Amino acid sequence: MSKVTVAKFGGTSVADAEAMRRCAAIVTQTANTRVVVLSASSGVTNLLVDLARGTLSATEQEIHLKKLKSIQDNILSELGNPSPLRETMDGILKEIADMARQATQNSDAALEDRLVAQGELMSTRLFTEMMNQLGHKAVWFDVRKIMRTDSRFGRATPAIEAIHNLAQQDMAPLLKDHIVITQGFIGANADGQTTTLGRGGSDFSAALLAEALGVDELEIWTDVPGIYTTDPRLVKEAHPIPEITFSEAAEMATFGAKVLHPATLQPAVRKGIPVFVGSSKDPAAGGTWVRDTTESSPLFRAVTLRRNQILLTLHSPNMLHACGFLAQVFTILAKHGISVDLITTSEISVAITLDQTGSQSSGRSVLSDAVLAELNAFCKVKVESDLALVALIGNRMSEVNGVGTQVFDAVSEHNVRMICYGASTHNLCFLVPESDASLVVQKLHQRLLTK
C-alpha cells in the first residue's frame, strides 16, 4: 500500500449529520486516509459523565437520556432510519439507561468507563453508516480489540507493544480494501474491561494507532484552522501558526493549548510522524503542520493558559539540611497517581503545582483526603486554588539575554505567584490569580506576539 493517513475528528466535527458529511468529504478527498478515529458527538460525553456519577435524580436521569436519544435520533433520521442501525443504537441507549440506574446504587470507576465509552461507540456506528451510504467501503472496528491498557480506570496507560502487535494483526489487513472507522478515548485491559484514556484522549488514541500501524501522516481535525499563537477567544489578534516543531507543540499542549492533548505527540515523536491540525468546518483554510524541524524558530512562538491549577505548599523544619524529604513527598504523590507540574524549593518548604483540569472524567479533586492525610503526617500543608498557569512558548528562551525582562515588564501590574524558567529552552511559565489570567495573556500577546 502507498501512503497511509490516520484522521481524527473531534466532537464538534461529528456533532450532527451535516458535520459528519463534512468529515466524510475530508476523508474521501484523497485515497490515503484509511483509518478514521472519532470522538463522541458534541455534548454526549458530558451527559454520560453526569449519568456515570450516579448523583442525578430519576427525573434528571430521564432528561439526560432523552437528550442523548435526541442527538442520535437526529442523525439517524438524516440517514433514513435504517432498521439494523436503529436496533443497534436503541440497544446502546438501553444499556446506557441500565448502567445509569446501576450507578445510582453503586458507582465505581470501572462502571464509569463503560458508561462514558458509549459515546464513541455510537458516533462511529453512525459515521460508518453514512460513509457506506455515500458509496465508500467503510468498516466499523471496535478499538477495544487492539487498544490494550492497564486497569487504571479514568486515565488508563496504554501498553505500546501490545497495541502494535494487535493493530498489525487485526487492523492492518483491513486497510487495503476498507476505510476503518474506530473510536478514540477508549480501550480495554487484559481482561476485556472497558477503560478510558482520560478527557481529550481521542487525540492520543489516534496517535497510538498511527504509531502502531506505521503510517505516514496523522491529521487532527477540530473546530479551528490550526494551532494559534494563543486562544483566539481571549485575544482577537491571535493568528494560526503555519508550522511548529514537536518540542514547541508539546510544550504548548502540556501548558494549556486546547487543540492537542498533551500526550498526543509522544507516539508521533517516537516515529517521526508529521501531524496536521485543521478545521473540519473549513478545511480550505489550511492549518498547522507539526514536524521535527521548521524553517523558522522565533524566540516567542505562543502564549498558553491553563486554568484551575492548585498550588500545594509543604513546609517543614525537617527539610533543613536533610535528605529524603522530596523523595518522601513524591513517593506519596506517585502512590496516588498524581503528576507534578512545576516545583520550587526554599530551605524549609517546597511549592508544587498540580493540574486540576487533568483529573478523572468524574470531576473528582486531584487531591483526595487520603493524600492530604499522608502529607499532613510529616509536614504542614497549604492548598491554594483559583490560580492559572501562563506559559510563554518559544526557542532558546533560557539562552537569550533579556527574556525575563520582556516578559515580566508586560505583566508588572499583576501578582506573579511562582516562576519556572530554565529547565527547558522552550518555555517560561508562572502562576497568576485566576481573575487576572485573561488580561495577562492579552498583555503578553500584544507585547511579544502581535505582528
Side-chain angles (χ1 to χ4, degrees):
M1 185 182 295
S2 58
K3 193 174 182 180
V4 175
T5 298
V6 170
K8 177 265 175 179
F9 295 90
T12 55
S13 297
V14 292
D16 52 34
E18 181 181 354
M20 285 189 174
R21 287 194 186 94
R22 289 195 294 266
C23 295
I26 292 170
V27 170
T28 56
Q29 67 185 354
T30 71
N32 297 334
T33 304
R34 309 307 297 170
V35 180
V36 178
V37 179
L38 300 186
S39 297
S41 296
S42 182
V44 167
T45 298
N46 288 337
L47 292 169
L48 293 172
V49 167
D50 287 346
L51 291 168
R53 288 173 181 161
T55 58
L56 299 179
S57 66
T59 300
E60 290 170 329
Q61 271 194 32
E62 190 62 29
I63 292 172
H64 276 57
L65 291 169
K66 285 182 178 178
K67 288 180 180 178
L68 283 171
K69 182 173 172 54
S70 176
I71 293 171
Q72 313 312 317
D73 282 355
N74 287 338
I75 301 173
L76 273 170
S77 178
E78 292 288 329
L79 294 172
N81 276 309
S83 296
L85 181 57
R86 163 61 70 184
E87 292 176 9
T88 298
M89 299 300 289
D90 285 347
I92 294 174
L93 289 167
K94 182 180 183 303
E95 186 177 0
I96 290 171
D98 291 342
M99 287 189 287
R101 284 189 286 270
Q102 184 180 342
T104 62
Q105 302 298 319
N106 183 27
S107 182
D108 59 33
L111 177 61
E112 289 178 19
D113 275 8
R114 281 172 49 213
L115 207 164
V116 174
Q118 303 304 311
E120 279 71 16
L121 296 175
M122 289 190 290
S123 65
T124 49
R125 289 284 189 186
L126 293 165
F127 189 70
T128 303
E129 174 68 22
M130 176 173 287
M131 289 288 290
N132 284 316
Q133 286 191 13
L134 292 170
H136 307 290
K137 200 172 181 181
V139 60
W140 185 83
F141 189 94
D142 190 337
V143 81
R144 292 172 295 184
K145 293 173 60 178
I146 62 176
M147 189 59 66
R148 189 67 64 245
T149 75
D150 64 8
S151 297
R152 187 182 171 197
F153 299 103
R155 190 183 282 180
T157 299
I160 305 300
E161 184 176 353
I163 293 169
H164 173 270
N165 293 337
L166 291 168
Q168 290 294 327
Q169 172 185 300
D170 295 329
M171 183 179 281
L174 299 172
L175 304 187
K176 182 179 179 181
D177 298 318
H178 298 84
I179 299 173
V180 176
I181 314 299
T182 195
Q183 306 80 35
F185 176 59
I186 70 176
N189 63 16
D191 296 324
Q193 292 177 290
T194 299
T195 59
T196 65
L197 302 180
R199 295 298 290 270
S202 290
D203 291 350
F204 191 20
S205 299
L208 287 165
L209 291 175
E211 177 186 35
L213 294 167
V215 305
D216 301 277
E217 292 176 355
L218 169 62
E219 297 175 349
I220 305 290
W221 294 96
T222 178
D223 55 0
V224 292
I227 300 174
Y228 277 65
T229 48
T230 196
D231 188 340
R233 293 170 298 183
L234 293 178
V235 181
K236 64 179 181 179
E237 295 83 9
H239 50 273
I241 304 169
E243 61 174 0
I244 190 171
T245 65
F246 282 125
S247 296
E248 293 170 299
E251 296 281 0
M252 288 186 68
T254 299
F255 290 107
K258 303 297 186 192
V259 176
L260 292 173
H261 184 270
T264 295
L265 298 178
Q266 294 174 3
V269 170
R270 287 194 292 262
K271 288 289 187 178
I273 300 170
V275 179
F276 176 79
V277 181
S279 169
S280 63
K281 295 181 179 179
D282 188 11
T288 302
W289 278 103
V290 188
R291 310 179 190 274
D292 284 320
T293 60
T294 58
E295 290 186 7
S296 65
S297 301
L299 180 61
F300 300 113
R301 179 79 83 178
V303 56
T304 65
L305 173 64
R306 194 168 68 192
R307 301 183 185 275
N308 202 14
Q309 303 300 290
I310 291 176
L311 179 60
L312 180 66
T313 304
L314 309 175
H315 177 93
S316 173
N318 295 331
M319 276 186 68
L320 189 62
H321 306 305
C323 298
F325 181 85
L326 282 178
Q328 193 172 0
V329 170
F330 280 99
T331 297
I332 292 172
L333 296 177
K335 173 184 172 183
H336 293 274
I338 297 174
S339 177
V340 171
D341 275 342
L342 312 181
I343 179 170
T344 61
T345 63
S346 69
E347 286 188 319
I348 58 173
S349 65
V350 56
I352 294 169
T353 67
L354 307 175
D355 180 18
Q356 181 75 351
T357 62
S359 57
Q360 292 178 319
S361 60
S362 62
R364 299 189 184 101
S365 173
V366 70
L367 278 177
S368 66
D369 291 340
V371 177
L372 293 174
E374 289 192 48
L375 292 172
N376 272 305
F378 68 95
C379 64
K380 183 179 178 181
V381 179
K382 182 180 180 181
V383 180
E384 297 177 72
S385 55
D386 296 322
L387 296 168
L389 177 64
V390 176
L392 264 296
I393 310 299
N395 296 276
R396 307 176 309 282
M397 294 179 67
S398 60
E399 301 169 4
V400 177
N401 293 337
V403 168
T405 300
Q406 293 184 66
V407 172
F408 293 111
D409 275 355
V411 296
S412 59
E413 297 177 0
H414 301 274
N415 182 24
V416 175
R417 294 299 312 276
M418 184 176 177
I419 302 168
C420 280
Y421 180 40
S424 167
T425 61
H426 294 291
N427 82 67
L428 183 161
C429 50
F430 50 90
L431 286 179
V432 296
E434 175 76 36
S435 57
D436 291 354
S438 296
L439 186 56
V440 166
V441 169
Q442 291 164 7
K443 288 181 176 180
L444 287 169
H445 194 279
Q446 182 178 21
R447 182 76 66 89
L448 306 175
L449 290 160
T450 298
K451 296 179 180 179

